[in-house]
Amino acid sequence: MHDKIANTMEFPPETPQPNIYPLRWETKTSKMEEIWDASLREAWNPKDLPWDTLDVSSYSWEEREAIAYWWTLLSVFDASAPPVFAEAFIKTYEDHEEDAIRRCFFSVTRDEQNHEQMCGLVITKMLESASPLEYEPKTDLGRRLQKNARWLYYNGGRYWNGYKQAVPKYNLAVLFSSFLMGEIAAATIFKQMSQSCEELVFTEAFKNIGRDEGRHMAICLSLMERDYPNLSAEDKKIITKQIRAGYLFLSAVLFEPPAEFWDLPEDFIATQREAEAIAREAGFGIPSYEDKLDNWRSAMLNLKAVLDKYDTPFPAIPEVDITGEEVTQADLDSADIIPIF
C-alpha cells in the first residue's frame, strides 16, 4: 500500500522516470504541426471505399486464395503496425517529446489501423472467413498457401516478442531509422500497386495507404533532421545493424524472405511465386521478381542518401548490389534488433 506523504512536505518528490508524467505541451518543430493537420485533412475510412464494384464471384477460387494470400502476407507487417506504433506512441510520452510529435505518432497508429482493416476486409471478402488460418481451403494451392500463412504468422510472433524487448533499450533517434526504412519500403510497393491493379477498390485503397506512408516518412525525416546531427558513434553503429536487419525482415513482403532470417519450409517461395503469378494474371498487380528487385534497390538507395547526410555508415546489401559496411549474421543479435513492421 502507498504511504501517504502529502502532509509531510510542501511539494511532492520528482516522478521517477520513464513516466508519462509530468505533462507539458511544447512544440518547437513546426513541420510536425503541418503533418498533424494534413493527417486530419486526409483521413479516410476503409469501409467507404467502392466495395460495391468488387464482385468476388467473378474470380476463381484459386485467384481468390492467391489474392487473399498477398493481403495475408501484407498483414504480417501492416496488421501488426498498430500495436508497433502504439508502443512508440507511448514512448513519446515517456520521453516527454513535443506535443506535436506525440500527436503525429498517434496519427501513425490510427493510419496503420486503417491499413490493418484493409487487410482484414479483403481477406474476409475473398475467403468468406474471419481468418486465413481458420478458412477451409478450396484448392490444392489454397492448402499450400495456408501452410505458408501459418509460417508467416509464426515468424511474426517471434519478431513481435523481439520488438517489445528492444523498444525500451533505444532512444527515438535510433527507432526513427527503423521506422523510416519501413515507410520508404511501403511507399515503394503501394505506389506500384496503385498503378497496376485493375480493381477500383484496390487502386483507391493503395492510393490512400501510399499517401499515409508519405506522411509517415515526413515525420521520420523531420525528426532525423532534428536529432541526427548529434548522433553518438554508438547510435550510428546500432543504426547500421538495424538497417541490415530491416532489409532481411522486410524482404519477405517487398522481395522474398531470406532463409537466414526467416524460418520457413523449403517449398515456401515456390508456392508464393505460383500464387503471385495467378494473382497477377487475374489483374492484381503484384510486381514481378525483377520489378521487386529494382524497387527494393531504389528504396535502399533512397535510405542510404538520407543516412549519408548524417555520416551514418550504411550496411552492405549484396542482394541488391549495394556496397557498404559489412554486417554479418552474427552481428544481428535478435535480442537487440528492432523488427520493422
Side-chain angles (χ1 to χ4, degrees), residues 101-331:
I101 290 174
R102 300 196 303 256
R103 281 183 274 125
C104 279
F105 269 78
F106 172 76
S107 76
V108 176
T109 308
R110 183 200 59 215
D111 290 341
E112 297 296 348
Q113 180 63 52
N114 276 350
H115 306 173
E116 178 199 343
Q117 288 301 305
M118 192 63 208
C119 292
L121 284 166
V122 178
I123 291 167
T124 55
K125 288 177 187 297
M126 284 291 179
L127 300 183
E128 299 175 5
S129 172
S131 165
L133 304 190
E134 297 168 8
Y135 157 77
E136 187 65 39
K138 303 295 190 295
T139 70
D140 175 64
L141 176 64
R143 283 185 286 277
R144 288 183 284 126
L145 288 174
Q146 188 175 70
K147 173 185 167 184
N148 273 21
R150 290 185 185 281
W151 281 105
L152 285 168
Y153 282 179
Y154 164 74
N155 280 269
R158 290 169 55 221
Y159 292 127
W160 168 246
N161 288 333
Y163 177 82
K164 287 192 295 182
Q165 294 169 11
V167 166
K169 297 180 183 179
Y170 300 118
N171 59 44
L172 283 171
V174 171
L175 291 177
F176 298 152
S177 66
S178 296
F179 292 152
L180 178 62
M181 184 176 189
E183 303 307 342
I184 288 177
T188 300
I189 194 167
F190 292 132
K191 179 180 180 182
Q192 183 154 21
M193 296 292 283
S194 72
Q195 296 168 343
S196 55
C197 280
E198 295 179 8
E199 286 283 1
L200 178 62
V201 68
F202 294 150
T203 299
E204 291 301 307
F206 287 133
K207 284 179 183 176
N208 289 338
I209 295 171
R211 187 177 58 208
D212 291 345
E213 303 297 359
R215 281 198 314 277
H216 304 171
M217 281 176 59
I219 293 169
C220 294
L221 289 169
S222 181
L223 290 171
M224 290 170 82
E225 187 176 317
R226 183 194 73 173
D227 293 348
Y228 271 43
N230 301 314
L231 275 182
S232 69
E234 183 59 32
D235 280 347
K236 290 181 178 180
K237 286 170 60 177
I238 294 168
I239 288 168
T240 302
K241 292 181 183 180
Q242 295 289 357
I243 297 303
R244 175 59 184 163
Y247 171 82
L248 295 171
F249 185 64
L250 284 171
S251 284
V253 69
L254 289 164
F255 185 42
E256 289 181 347
E260 67 266 35
F261 208 72
W262 287 80
D263 186 3
L264 300 168
E266 288 185 358
D267 60 349
F268 182 94
I269 289 178
T271 298
Q272 180 164 298
R273 288 180 180 176
E274 182 182 345
E276 288 181 348
I278 290 170
R280 210 175 285 125
E281 187 66 26
F284 188 69
I286 301 171
S288 67
Y289 179 92
E290 292 75 17
D291 286 341
K292 285 183 185 180
L293 193 61
D294 288 345
N295 288 344
W296 210 186
R297 186 171 193 275
S298 295
M300 289 300 92
L301 288 173
N302 289 339
L303 179 61
K304 184 177 186 300
V306 173
L307 294 184
D308 283 351
K309 285 172 55 180
Y310 303 108
D311 298 319
T312 302
F314 200 80
I317 306 182
E319 296 89 345
V320 291
D321 297 323
I322 294 177
T323 59
E325 188 167 305
E326 194 67 31
V327 177
T328 68
Q329 193 65 23
D331 294 326

Side-chain angles (χ1 to χ4, degrees), residues 35-45 110-111 114 208 211-212 214-215:
I35 297 170
W36 166 254
D37 290 343
S39 77
L40 298 177
R41 287 195 307 272
E42 297 168 358
W44 61 287
N45 184 349
R110 183 200 59 215
D111 290 341
N114 276 350
N208 289 338
R211 187 177 58 208
D212 291 345
R215 281 198 314 277

